[in-house]
Amino acid sequence: MASMPPAPDGAKATPYAWYVLSLLLLVYILNFIDRQIVAILADDIKRDLGLRDQDIGFLYGTAFGVFYALFGIPLGRLADNWHRVRLMTAGLALWSSMTALSGFARTGLMLGLARMGVGIGEATAGPAAYSLISDWFPKRLRATALALYSSGVYLGGGLSLFIGALIVQRWNQAYPGGGPLGLVGWQAAFLAVGAPGLIVAAWIVTLREPPRGLSEGMATPAHPAPFRAFFEELLTIIPPFTLIGAARQGAAGLARNLAVLALVAGLVALLVALGEPAAQWIAVGIGGYAVFSWATALKRRDPPTYALIVGTPAFLCVVLAYGLNTFLAYAMAGFAPSFIRRSFDIPPEQLSALGFWIGAPVALAGFLGVTIAGRIADALRARSPVGRIHILLFACIAPIAPMILLFTARDLTFAYVMLPLAQFLICGGLGAAAATTQDLVLPRMRGTATAAFFIGTTLIGLALGPYCAGRIATLTGDLATGVLALLASVPIALGAIGGAYRLLPAAEASKLARARAAGEAI
């Protein structure tokens, strides 16, 4: 690994770096508009397609999240080895097209397949963007830059509520029996939010690709065959091709892989026999087994990357802690609009007003929460190696009271106030957690580290949180009970935060030595 002059401790980001960040933020806003719009359309989709709350949880979370997680790993590898700007451009075009195609869904199955396509496309964004930002911005500004980028989660999520509600209301008023091509309001909303991404993709492709490792002064040579590495990675995580990767590890590796596959299949079969929906747990089972297969293959093919990601308990603790944060956050985001709409009997002609009074405050609260927390995280990190972990702890505990008050509200105005307050408090951990995981790896590993980080967000948070809330709501007949029951996860999150606090300083201090010991040429 060649060296170049590192950015000095007091280095400032260039104007072009801020321009790149602004455009990446726009992409992330579109990302979450397309991802989150299901929340405001949920009741209309349920009615027209004959679905239940647990099915909405599956469509909102699992169908998207599992494929986002699985493809995020090989696409993270591609982001480490190939042109990140081109990768993001292709991904944006794919997920925008699949969002638009969601508008033609006539069954839950068709909509689920389209959501899987959205997940695959969006899996390109995080690894490419995190790696680009980490190269354009010096280390002392990394949490701030990543927090600003991450504000797209809340700006996009908030905008999706208003835009989706407005389109549904206007379309259904103009075409009470269905409009052109027989499309109803929620279908028109998917089409309307998917199309702009194709235009932005043509803008993204004009960005410059920075030298990899620019901010640390650690130049990383170009990979000689990035797509070969991508397809090799794909074979390690997409069943049944995972058995090929396992066979390369010898008889013992194949036997271990088959044993884990049998264990996962047995657990899924047990859950289905107990009455759980097959699609949900087959998808989660595939995700869990695939991640195990990938991790064991990574250990064989790239021991240094394995050592600094999967082999670093501090990294895993941060992923688990933030994954459980999103377990609550996605459940709240996915079902709060439906809870308010049902609890206060909001009529269809007031849907756009509901979208505005939920969406605008939530977008502002999320933006302020994640950016303020990012700045504080950087300030705390300057004082202590574990400074950012305090932000994770705050994001775990602080939202509990407003969440309870929101889902027990008996006054509409009070509910409108509690939702953005809960959003403001729960979102602060994102920039801190993301920056912490980036600090634990070498520049060439950032895309893979980002993909591994998002496994917590997806397989733990997105694939399980909304579904579990919807499933409990279906069983109990009460949506509030479904969401609030998930607060039982908080003690586990606190344990993970405690582990990160204890292990992080040594892990960061020893990363170069551990990488060398695993075979990295530094």
Side-chain angles (χ1 to χ4, degrees):
M1 185 177 290
S3 63
M4 56 186 177
D9 292 339
K12 296 181 179 180
T14 65
Y16 189 79
W18 290 107
Y19 166 73
V20 170
L21 179 59
S22 300
L23 193 47
L24 294 179
L25 172 59
L26 175 60
V27 172
Y28 212 30
I29 289 172
L30 293 175
N31 182 309
F32 265 79
I33 289 176
D34 293 357
R35 184 186 306 193
Q36 297 284 103
I37 197 169
V38 172
I40 196 65
L41 308 180
D43 284 356
D44 298 275
I45 294 171
K46 278 181 61 181
R47 181 194 63 237
D48 291 348
L49 301 186
L51 305 179
R52 296 169 292 177
D53 283 326
Q54 66 188 44
D55 302 316
I56 293 297
F58 174 79
L59 289 171
Y60 175 85
T62 313
F64 172 93
V66 168
F67 284 82
Y68 181 86
L70 296 192
F71 280 86
I73 292 172
L75 288 168
R77 192 72 163 177
L78 189 58
D80 281 336
N81 296 331
W82 189 54
H83 199 287
R84 292 161 288 184
V85 170
R86 293 174 188 167
L87 177 62
M88 179 171 284
T89 301
L92 174 56
L94 173 60
W95 90 62
S96 299
S97 299
M98 297 306 292
T99 299
L101 285 174
S102 300
F104 295 100
R106 304 294 183 182
T107 65
L109 175 61
M110 292 174 64
L111 185 53
L113 292 173
R115 293 287 291 171
M116 292 173 189
V118 174
I120 294 171
E122 290 196 9
T124 62
Y130 274 48
S131 183
L132 286 167
I133 291 168
S134 294
D135 276 335
W136 280 116
F137 285 84
K139 185 175 181 179
R140 71 179 187 86
L141 291 175
R142 195 166 290 157
T144 299
L146 288 173
L148 285 168
Y149 169 74
S150 300
S151 69
V153 172
Y154 310 103
L155 294 173
L159 284 171
S160 73
L161 300 177
F162 174 65
I163 293 171
L166 181 64
I167 294 171
V168 169
Q169 180 178 318
R170 296 282 178 85
W171 185 273
N172 287 340
Q173 287 174 343
Y175 307 104
L181 303 177
L183 301 179
V184 294
W186 63 266
Q187 295 172 311
F190 277 121
L191 285 167
V193 301
L198 299 174
I199 299 172
V200 176
W203 189 3
I204 284 291
V205 77
T206 65
L207 291 178
R208 298 202 306 262
E209 178 83 3
R212 205 176 298 270
L214 175 65
S215 59
E216 275 95 349
M218 300 173 65
T220 303
H223 194 283
F227 282 94
R228 180 183 300 172
F230 166 72
F231 285 113
E232 285 287 319
E233 199 82 38
L234 205 64
L235 291 177
T236 69
I237 199 167
I238 303 300
F241 300 114
T242 47
L243 297 176
I244 298 174
R248 292 175 178 176
Q249 301 172 43
L254 180 59
R256 183 170 57 250
N257 187 279
L258 289 171
V260 171
L261 177 60
L263 175 62
V264 170
L267 290 173
V268 170
L270 176 61
L271 287 169
V272 173
L274 292 174
E276 285 292 301
Q280 166 68 22
W281 295 108
I282 289 173
V284 171
I286 289 172
Y289 162 72
V291 169
F292 168 81
S293 297
W294 165 77
T296 54
L298 179 66
K299 185 176 183 179
R300 176 183 61 85
R301 294 191 342 269
D302 191 348
T305 298
Y306 177 91
L308 295 193
I309 297 176
V310 183
T312 299
F315 190 105
L316 300 180
C317 283
V318 173
V319 168
L320 176 59
Y322 185 68
L324 290 171
N325 177 273
T326 62
F327 182 74
L328 294 175
Y330 277 121
M332 180 177 70
F335 286 110
S338 293
F339 170 79
I340 294 175
R341 188 175 179 182
R342 297 176 201 175
S343 296
F344 301 101
D345 198 21
I346 307 295
E349 60 270 17
Q350 294 181 17
L351 188 58
S352 62
L354 171 68
F356 175 79
W357 287 112
I358 294 178
V362 162
L364 179 60
F367 175 79
L368 292 175
V370 74
T371 52
I372 292 172
R375 293 290 292 176
I376 296 173
D378 276 337
L380 292 175
R381 175 63 180 82
R383 297 180 182 180
S384 168
V386 296
R388 290 176 180 145
I389 303 303
H390 293 98
I391 300 298
L392 277 176
L393 178 62
F394 179 84
C396 177
I397 297 174
I400 294 175
M403 280 188 65
I404 294 172
L405 292 172
L406 165 63
F407 285 97
T408 56
R410 295 296 178 263
D411 178 78
L412 179 58
T413 301
F414 185 72
Y416 281 153
V417 172
M418 286 300 105
L419 178 55
L421 177 60
Q423 181 77 289
F424 176 81
L425 296 173
I426 204 169
C427 69
L430 179 51
T436 299
T437 57
Q438 294 287 295
D439 288 348
L440 286 170
V441 300
L442 302 180
R444 76 169 183 86
M445 305 169 183
R446 283 181 181 145
T448 304
T450 303
F453 171 68
F454 280 125
I455 289 172
T457 306
T458 52
L459 292 185
I460 298 173
L462 186 55
L464 291 177
Y467 167 77
C468 289
R471 178 61 171 159
I472 295 170
T474 298
L475 293 173
T476 63
D478 183 57
L479 193 51
T481 300
V483 176
L484 294 180
L486 304 193
L487 291 173
S489 66
V490 170
I492 304 173
L494 291 174
I497 290 168
Y501 190 90
R502 181 172 58 87
L503 298 169
L504 183 61
E508 186 170 353
S510 64
K511 71 177 180 181
L512 289 177
R514 289 185 293 115
R516 287 192 193 100
E520 187 76 3
I522 302 178

